Amino acid sequence: MSWDINTDLGSTALAVAAQRAAETAQDDPLIQDEFAAVLVAAANEPGWQRIAAGDLSWMGTEDAVGRRVARTGREYVATRTVFFDEFCTDAASLGINQFVILAAGLDARAYRLVPLTGKRVYEIDQPAVQAFKDAALTAHGAAPLADLRAIPGDLHDERWPLLLMEGGWDKSLPTAWLVEGILPYLSSTEHNALFDTLTELSAPDSRLAAEVYHHATKHFGDERLSAWRDGAAEIDDALGVDVDVTTFIKNHDASNTASWLAQHGWKVESLDSRDLMSRLGRPIPPDLRDVAPVSSLVTAVRVGPTISPT
């Protein structure tokens, strides 16, 4: 499979970048990602730029349901960003020197996170997506703080570990893996295959962070998916951009990432995204709990060999 920034899963990267830009534009933002707006502008689509500006007035009054849902979705993306930023900072402080961002999309951590300065950061994604990002940031005059290595590849292609090694990645050293924004689009079989590979590639003391949506009512109930589709349709009608990621979600079977990792030689911690949102001062309003995004934010440390499930 292949795609660019305007098609298929590539467009999900653009949507997330627009959300990061929108949060950065707020008066009291949870994150500062100056490159998100640059990347959205490079797509040259007025609808995406309107979202990235962070102004939701076009969605009605301040108390309009659609506007409140959109704001909560933006705050979820910002909360997720904080989680992965802190993971990178912690891993760097522990002396980990190589980071791998799977399906990196328009992630700009290698450009904006000071703790990654001088660290080797590998970004795996489609060549067209990588070319778009590189061209946009180069034109902006941006240079990565990290030793950035772009690895053109698809996680569905079993050759990606070889491409990673050819790019200079060292299997003997601990790695910090970022698994952000991709698990909803994998079946349980694909999920297990991915984590089998990550486990095999991980030296002791490797770290992993993952955003997990269990394929069950807890995270992907019919009410939540229906609300997301309705909200996406409203945005498409108003701005002419397709933000309906539900068409890519595989919610027909079950995957429990934390349990899987714990059974395969990882020490695991799991945090409910709702708790982190509350801790950061962005609690989900009670009446939106069934429609706002919710996930488990999982961190893990590689501590031993594979443990067979009992």
Side-chain angles (χ1 to χ4, degrees), residues 194-275:
L194 174 62
F195 284 103
D196 267 329
T197 299
L198 295 183
T199 298
E200 180 184 350
L201 296 177
S202 294
D205 294 326
S206 290
R207 262 70 178 168
L208 181 151
E211 175 201 22
V212 178
Y213 289 83
H214 300 306
H215 301 316
T217 302
K218 178 180 178 183
H219 292 163
F220 281 138
D222 290 339
E223 184 174 357
R224 179 168 282 115
L225 289 176
S226 178
W228 291 2
R229 292 187 190 102
D230 290 345
E234 180 180 356
I235 292 172
D236 197 0
D237 288 343
L239 302 181
V241 293
D242 184 4
V243 296
D244 186 6
V245 301
T246 65
T247 57
F248 304 112
I249 291 172
K250 298 181 180 180
N251 66 327
H252 55 275
D253 52 10
S255 299
N256 188 323
T257 305
S259 177
W260 191 99
L261 290 168
Q263 293 175 348
H264 292 79
W266 296 81
K267 181 180 179 181
V268 182
E269 294 184 1
S270 185
L271 173 65
D272 191 303
S273 64
R274 292 166 291 194
D275 293 337

Side-chain angles (χ1 to χ4, degrees), residues 154-177:
D154 185 336
L155 296 178
H156 290 95
D157 185 341
E158 60 185 18
R159 296 173 298 174
W160 71 260
L162 177 60
L163 297 175
L164 189 60
M165 294 177 195
E166 290 175 348
W169 175 83
D170 189 341
K171 183 178 180 180
S172 69
L173 299 177
T175 299
W177 305 96

Side-chain angles (χ1 to χ4, degrees), residues 55-128:
D55 178 9
L56 295 174
S57 59
W58 58 274
M59 296 191 75
T61 61
E62 184 67 29
D63 60 352
V65 173
R67 185 169 172 177
R68 293 172 64 238
V69 170
R71 182 172 61 246
T72 302
R74 182 194 74 220
E75 292 172 345
Y76 169 80
V77 170
T79 297
R80 182 181 84 176
T81 301
V82 170
F83 168 76
F84 281 95
D85 284 358
E86 291 181 346
F87 168 77
C88 289
T89 298
D90 292 344
S93 72
L94 292 169
I96 291 182
N97 292 312
Q98 56 183 15
F99 294 71
V100 179
I101 305 176
L102 305 179
L106 300 183
D107 187 301
R109 288 186 174 92
Y111 291 81
R112 64 177 180 81
L113 279 189
V114 173
L116 292 180
T117 301
K119 305 290 187 181
R120 190 166 288 184
V121 175
Y122 298 88
E123 295 186 346
I124 302 174
D125 214 320
Q126 296 286 334

